[in-house]
Amino acid sequence: MDRPLERKPLRADAARNVDKIITAARQCFRELGPEVPLQTIATTAGVGPATLFRNFADKEQLVLAALSRQLRLHVDPVVAEALAGMDAAVGLMKVIDAVVQVASEDANLLGAVAGRRGLLVGITGGLIESMAELLERGQGQGSLRRDITIEDMIRLVAMLIGAVDTMEPGSRAWERPVALLEDAIRTEKPQRPLPAQTPIPGMTF
């Protein structure tokens, strides 16, 4: 799906530098947190600051490019498969799984653009359109509640992404709340047990 961050084709060496910078950014954000300096990212990528700033004007652009790549690699193929499939409800849940898994694995990237709704919409517009299509199909097939709107779905997925902060980064703890969301939007509750509960890091009850 098209995204505003997609660029004109680069020379091979320039494309390699961009790839190294984005890969280093994911590593640094994951290991050092959302406040990691751009100089650290450039050093980790093995490029000079000038090369980094030639491709990304600021941290915001770099973060969005990294998120856009993760969506392109891990969500877009799932979306294409879902749109080509016969069961729209199953497809929609697979897309949600893929989105929340990316959010879990790259929680610090999301943290770096937290609260900047317009920026995130810029790289998720096509995804939202696909979810709307799957929702409408599923409602027509009778498997998804007819009183659910795409606005509801956007808010529910945003809640799931926000809940990633209560989980160990990269864990599968998101599977349980995603299953609860499926229970809520299906016309009939799926006949399967909920995934196992996981503790919230740093909290005891």
Side-chain angles (χ1 to χ4, degrees):
M1 61 187 70
D2 294 335
R3 294 196 173 91
L5 289 173
E6 290 180 349
R7 304 157 174 257
K8 295 179 180 179
L10 299 171
R11 299 191 322 271
D13 58 338
R16 283 192 295 271
N17 282 336
V18 167
D19 185 68
K20 287 193 295 184
I21 292 167
I22 291 175
T23 299
R26 289 191 64 230
Q27 176 187 339
C28 291
F29 278 109
R30 185 170 58 249
E31 295 176 355
L32 303 174
E35 301 303 321
V36 61
L38 289 176
Q39 177 64 56
T40 301
I41 295 172
T43 300
T44 303
V47 301
T51 298
L52 188 151
F53 285 111
R54 186 162 55 247
N55 290 283
F56 304 101
D58 52 31
K59 183 184 288 188
E60 195 170 88
Q61 281 193 7
L62 177 53
V63 168
L64 291 177
L67 284 171
S68 183
R69 187 176 76 170
Q70 291 307 100
L71 291 175
R72 186 171 63 251
L73 291 175
H74 302 293
V75 177
D76 284 5
V78 179
V79 169
E81 182 179 351
L83 291 172
M86 296 297 294
D87 191 323
V90 169
L92 179 60
M93 292 312 303
K94 287 182 176 179
V95 171
I96 293 171
D97 280 352
V99 169
V100 181
Q101 184 167 0
V102 166
S104 176
E105 293 177 352
D106 288 287
N108 282 336
L109 280 176
L110 284 170
V113 289
R116 302 182 185 185
R117 185 183 313 162
L119 296 174
L120 293 176
V121 168
I123 64 172
T124 58
L127 172 62
I128 291 170
E129 290 174 4
S130 297
M131 288 178 58
E133 181 175 342
L134 290 167
L135 175 62
E136 183 177 356
R137 284 193 205 172
Q139 290 170 328
Q141 292 169 355
S143 55
L144 295 174
R145 289 172 48 171
R146 287 188 172 273
D147 56 349
I148 299 288
T149 67
I150 186 58
E151 289 81 9
D152 292 325
M153 292 305 307
I154 292 169
R155 291 181 177 122
L156 288 168
V157 173
M159 288 166 59
L160 289 172
I161 292 172
V164 164
D165 287 340
T166 69
M167 306 169 189
E168 291 289 352
S171 74
R172 305 286 298 184
W174 52 267
E175 291 180 336
R176 185 177 176 94
V178 167
L180 290 168
L181 179 146
E182 183 177 13
D183 288 352
I185 67 173
R186 286 274 198 172
T187 52
E188 296 183 8
K189 184 177 178 179
Q191 297 301 307
R192 47 104 177 98
L194 286 174
Q197 182 61 276
T198 57
I200 297 176
M203 296 189 69
T204 57
F205 299 94

